[in-house]
Amino acid sequence: LNCEPNEVVFTSGGTESDNTAIVGAFYSKQKKGTHIITSVIEHHAVLHTCQFLERRGLAQVTYLPVDSTGLVDPEEVKKALRDDTILVSIMHANNEIGTIEPISEIGAICRERKITFHTDAVQTVGHIPISVQKMNIDLLSLSGHKFYGPKGVGALYVRKGVPITPLLHGGGQESGKR
């Protein structure tokens, strides 16, 4: 991932990683805004988490369309940004059609606007080279069983300085992030 070991939080899998990234980033930044951007083709671990926040009246979510090949247009991300946008979550590669999204470009757009950028890379970690530094990624979800690790083991990369509120409380595991 091209990151420091203390930027990796171990989880129970991709779903927990996605939930921690989205809800944790949302809660830590909701005083700055409540708008989230994602795409219509995200994994349910992302879509259902965004819908959970919407149903409770906490977040406003923009679901970006994709083209006929499943690509999210970075210009559409840019157009969807608002003053209250606090999080963008776009998967690295689609788990059904295999489209690899322009993560570096979307990450650069977010970095320029100081908006937290999350990518669900469950389908790509271990298969496609990833550098969170070069790709401007703040949060990245992965699951061990997708690259020959055991089921029930995942991780969330959290760029140093990116705040996330933990979803699990009481044990202090993973530097208080889990």
Side-chain angles (χ1 to χ4, degrees):
L1 297 179
N2 190 26
C3 68
E4 297 297 321
N6 63 358
E7 293 177 309
V8 177
V9 176
F10 287 97
T11 67
S12 65
T15 298
E16 183 185 338
S17 296
D18 284 339
N19 275 257
T20 301
I22 294 166
V23 177
F26 178 81
Y27 282 144
S28 71
K29 296 188 109 183
Q30 77 181 107
K31 288 183 181 177
K32 294 181 180 181
T34 58
H35 183 238
I36 298 171
I37 297 171
T38 192
S39 81
V40 296
I41 62 166
E42 299 298 311
H43 188 275
H44 284 157
V46 170
L47 289 175
H48 290 176
T49 303
C50 290
Q51 292 163 357
F52 166 83
L53 292 169
E54 274 186 305
R55 280 193 310 273
R56 278 149 187 77
L58 299 172
Q60 298 170 350
V61 183
T62 298
Y63 298 92
L64 295 176
V66 296
D67 69 14
S68 62
T69 66
L71 277 175
V72 173
D73 182 350
E75 285 303 312
E76 292 300 314
V77 173
K78 196 180 283 188
K79 287 179 194 173
L81 293 175
R82 306 183 333 198
D83 289 341
D84 65 338
T85 303
I86 57 172
L87 177 67
V88 173
S89 181
I90 303 293
M91 64 177 22
H92 188 205
N94 185 274
N95 55 307
E96 294 180 4
I97 60 175
T99 302
I100 300 171
E101 300 295 343
I103 295 303
S104 296
E105 195 173 342
I106 295 169
I109 292 166
C110 293
R111 180 70 43 87
E112 183 180 303
R113 294 277 301 266
K114 295 181 175 52
I115 295 167
T116 302
F117 178 54
H118 167 252
T119 189
D120 178 335
V122 166
Q123 299 298 325
T124 55
V125 169
H127 303 288
I128 298 172
I130 295 175
S131 169
V132 293
Q133 303 304 321
K134 291 179 183 174
M135 297 170 87
N136 302 297
I137 297 168
D138 296 312
L139 302 166
L140 178 142
S141 301
L142 63 92
S143 184
H145 78 277
K146 293 292 187 168
F147 55 99
Y148 308 108
K151 286 190 179 230
V153 176
L156 175 64
Y157 159 75
V158 181
R159 180 185 298 280
K160 185 178 179 182
V162 172
I164 61 166
T165 300
L167 304 185
L168 304 176
H169 303 275
Q173 288 82 2
E174 300 297 327
S175 300
K177 290 185 174 72
R178 181 168 187 258

